[in-house]
Amino acid sequence: MTRELRLGFLCALGAYLLWGGLPLYFRALDHIEPQEMLAHRILWGLPTGLVFIIIAHRWKEFRGALTRSNLTWLALSAILIATNWLIYIWAVSAERVTEASLGYFINPLVSVLMGMVFFSESLRRAQWVAIAIAVGGVSVMTWELGRLPWVSLCLCFSFASYGAVRKKVAIDSRAGFTIETAILAPLAFAWLTWFQSTGQGGWVGDYGWDWLTLPLAGPITAVPLILFALAAKRLKLATIGMMQYMTPTLQFLIAVLVFREPFSSVEAIAFGLIWTALIVFTTDSVIGERKARRLARAARLAE
């Protein structure tokens, strides 16, 4: 393994482990209202993004991103990622991490559908099969819960939509994250100011170690995104695709083994269908990438 590949692997590993461990952080702060936690995540994320831009000397990319078109798309992506954050924080506090992890297992399949709808990407037969199996898993979960697993669906569709919007904006991930939090920061500041005036919350949390743990919301939000961007430039898409399942797997294990959330046999069937769909989808993606590489190699030799 070359130095660049090793760095990419370590960056991806760090990003997915941090994302996977997020339930532990939010559960430690579940005495803070989800809306208040979201506001802190936004406000502490902005200076963190600026620090990363300074360290990486990305001011040129940051200034270049400040066009009307980019700001319009980034305003939309900011709303989508804030929605995703809020639902996830609420899910952790409401002891529904298992349902949240299901959403991130489904997310890659929803992203494929987004690519077909918005970017005219064609789906292979195996990918359609994977999506059909995943729909079966969601149907089983719906039957077990007696309602749609809205937490799972909102998380996967909001994050997949966020990815689709960011695909439209070809800018540095650090600059994009900083602009998104800058767009959201005035609303977060105004809401937190009002919330504090009601006596329900405070700028540095409610008690204990909140003054230290709340500012960590910035790095915990920004660092995985930066690590993922570094990894994506160095690793193959198939490798990234395989590793991304570490996050929901870790979240699922934390939910069942650490938080002791109930996990019935029917839920096991639903998750089994989702995992089967992911195996079909990932296997097809790996085979497709290998075939594309062989065709590209043959084309180069023919020149």
Side-chain angles (χ1 to χ4, degrees):
M1 183 182 290
T2 67
R3 182 178 179 181
E4 284 294 296
L5 285 176
R6 190 180 300 112
L7 176 60
F9 177 81
L10 291 175
C11 287
L13 183 64
Y16 291 129
L17 288 178
L18 285 171
W19 275 327
L22 273 180
L24 298 173
Y25 173 76
F26 289 124
R27 180 58 61 86
L29 292 168
D30 66 354
H31 56 277
I32 296 175
E33 291 290 327
Q35 301 94 324
E36 183 184 0
M37 189 66 232
L38 173 64
H40 280 288
R41 193 173 187 181
I42 293 167
L43 292 175
W44 289 110
L46 178 55
T48 304
L50 290 171
V51 167
F52 276 110
I53 287 176
I54 293 171
I55 292 173
H57 304 289
R58 295 290 180 177
W59 283 114
K60 182 178 180 180
E61 288 84 351
F62 179 79
R63 290 192 297 269
L66 299 176
T67 66
R68 179 178 296 181
S69 176
N70 284 345
L71 290 175
T72 300
W73 284 111
L74 289 172
L76 177 57
S77 66
I79 293 171
L80 289 169
I81 198 62
T83 301
N84 181 272
W85 290 346
L86 179 59
I87 295 172
Y88 186 81
I89 294 168
W90 178 87
V92 174
S93 66
E95 299 183 355
R96 293 169 72 169
V97 178
T98 303
E99 197 173 337
S101 71
L102 177 66
Y104 288 112
F105 276 121
I106 300 172
N107 179 71
L109 303 176
V110 176
S111 295
V112 170
L113 284 176
M114 292 281 184
M116 181 190 69
V117 174
F118 296 107
F119 299 100
S120 301
E121 296 176 0
S122 59
L123 298 186
R124 294 185 292 270
R125 181 179 301 174
Q127 292 175 321
W128 279 114
V129 170
I131 291 171
I133 296 172
V135 170
V138 173
S139 300
V140 171
M141 196 75 167
T142 300
W143 179 77
E144 166 69 1
L145 295 173
R147 53 172 171 76
L148 279 174
W150 68 268
V151 170
S152 304
L153 296 176
C154 287
L155 285 174
C156 69
F157 274 96
S158 60
F159 196 74
S161 299
Y162 172 77
V165 172
R166 284 302 302 269
K167 187 179 176 68
K168 298 283 292 185
V169 188
I171 63 173
D172 179 77
S173 62
R174 285 154 289 204
F177 172 79
T178 304
I179 294 172
E180 286 169 345
T181 51
I183 291 170
L184 296 169
L187 294 175
F189 182 83
W191 191 91
L192 202 57
T193 300
W194 171 83
F195 193 67
Q196 184 186 28
S197 70
T198 65
Q200 301 180 63
W203 288 104
V204 290
D206 299 322
Y207 57 84
W209 291 93
D210 289 354
W211 64 273
L212 180 61
T213 53
L214 274 177
L216 292 177
I220 284 174
T221 300
V223 170
L225 289 171
I226 305 304
L227 290 176
F228 176 79
L230 293 173
K233 293 179 179 179
R234 292 167 172 81
L235 297 178
K236 297 174 183 176
L237 287 178
T239 304
I240 290 288
M242 291 289 286
M243 293 183 71
Q244 72 178 327
Y245 302 125
M246 291 174 57
T247 292
T249 300
L250 186 54
Q251 292 173 352
F252 171 76
L253 292 175
I254 289 173
V256 176
L257 301 179
V258 180
F259 297 159
R260 300 295 182 181
E261 292 187 9
F263 189 66
S264 68
S265 57
V266 177
E267 287 176 311
I269 293 172
F271 271 80
L273 287 170
I274 299 297
W275 291 329
T276 301
L278 292 176
I279 290 171
V280 172
F281 173 77
T282 304
T283 302
D284 177 73
S285 297
V286 171
I287 293 173
E289 184 180 346
R290 288 177 178 173
K291 183 178 179 180
R293 286 205 304 269
R294 287 198 301 269
L295 291 174
R297 192 182 306 116
R300 287 196 300 269
L301 292 174
E303 291 179 353

